[in-house]
Amino acid sequence: MTKPAGNAALVRLVSRRSALVALTTTLGCALVRRSETPPPARATPEGDQLIVHSSLELPSQHRLLEELRVLRSDLLQALALPASNEPIHVYLFESEREFDDFMRRNYPQFPSRRAFFVESDTKLAVFAFWGDRVAEDLRHETSHGYLHSVVRNIPLWLDEGIAEYFEVPRGTNGVNRPHVQQLLMLLMTQGRRPNMARLEAMTAVADMRQEDYAESWAWVQWLLHTSPERRTLLQQYLQSLRSQAVYAPLSAAVKAATPDAERLLCDHLFALAGPQTS
Ligand SMILES: [Zn+2]
């Protein structure tokens, strides 16, 4: 992504079930100053990479916060990434109405969503509210935060695939059952096969549909869980993103190592779904 000239901040927005938008705006820098609804107060101790600002009473040892701290080490370990101490600010609102009000005042051009991850030149921030799916939303958006604190130039599809992988509860190998069912349904009814190069061509929010999120998740899950060599391939690719301004697409490396990767991914999805689907 090319940074615009001038002093405008580049805000990178990742929203749940939409995709990623690059906005040339000063909103990221003006976030707190412009707010008529003050952001929630800090709820976590000094020293954490994750700085949670919560408008409801939340003990610093709350299970959800502990889970997000563990998510950091899980993500860094799985992807062989170094730790960063760049703060990730999590603004957790008590109600959906309070959240909507804050987002409307500060990010009026954003679509209506349950949660957001916003990256500006100066800040990584997650916005969410306390609802039925707050744990899933926070795992997803905070994964973007951890990832962006160490890998700045990650392609949209891979960014979302990794966040989808880590949004499911711990101890499930990142398996997202609805994604498996959707991808197999599309394969069997429409012949829609996985195609990483097609995902790589998507660079705008409007390009990505629900099935693209599902397929992005599937490639990440397959790379991480079907062989040590594939896991290493993904890890090395992320390392190349960290160190190079120009990089080859991951699909080329996958194709070179596994020419029939798309067929193997389909087989993997059938295996995840169980014998009744195949
Ligand atoms: Zn996302």
Side-chain angles (χ1 to χ4, degrees), residues 168-187:
V168 299
R170 197 162 188 248
T172 56
N173 288 336
V175 175
N176 186 314
R177 297 286 167 198
H179 285 349
V180 173
Q181 295 302 328
Q182 181 183 25
L183 292 170
L184 289 178
M185 181 69 71
L186 289 170
L187 175 66

Side-chain angles (χ1 to χ4, degrees), residues 14-18 140-141 144 159-160 163-164 213:
V14 182
S15 65
R16 297 284 295 128
R17 303 296 183 257
S18 75
H140 182 104
E141 307 300 350
H144 282 309
D159 199 2
E160 290 302 338
E164 293 284 318
Y213 281 86

Side-chain angles (χ1 to χ4, degrees), residues 150-207:
V150 287
V151 185
R152 287 299 175 133
N153 301 309
I154 189 164
L156 169 63
W157 79 271
L158 185 56
D159 199 2
E160 290 302 338
I162 290 171
E164 293 284 318
Y165 174 90
F166 284 103
E167 80 171 30
V168 299
R170 197 162 188 248
T172 56
N173 288 336
V175 175
N176 186 314
R177 297 286 167 198
H179 285 349
V180 173
Q181 295 302 328
Q182 181 183 25
L183 292 170
L184 289 178
M185 181 69 71
L186 289 170
L187 175 66
M188 292 187 288
T189 61
Q190 300 177 25
R192 186 186 190 276
R193 297 176 64 80
N195 184 336
M196 190 187 291
R198 184 181 53 76
L199 294 176
E200 287 171 336
M202 295 178 173
T203 57
V205 176
D207 292 342

Side-chain angles (χ1 to χ4, degrees), residues 8 16 39 56 58 80 84 89 99 109 132 155 161 202 227 243 246 270:
R16 297 284 295 128
L56 67 162
L58 206 57
S84 164
H89 294 267
F99 166 80
Q109 69 275 54
D132 293 344
M202 295 178 173
S227 82
S243 57
V246 180
F270 278 114

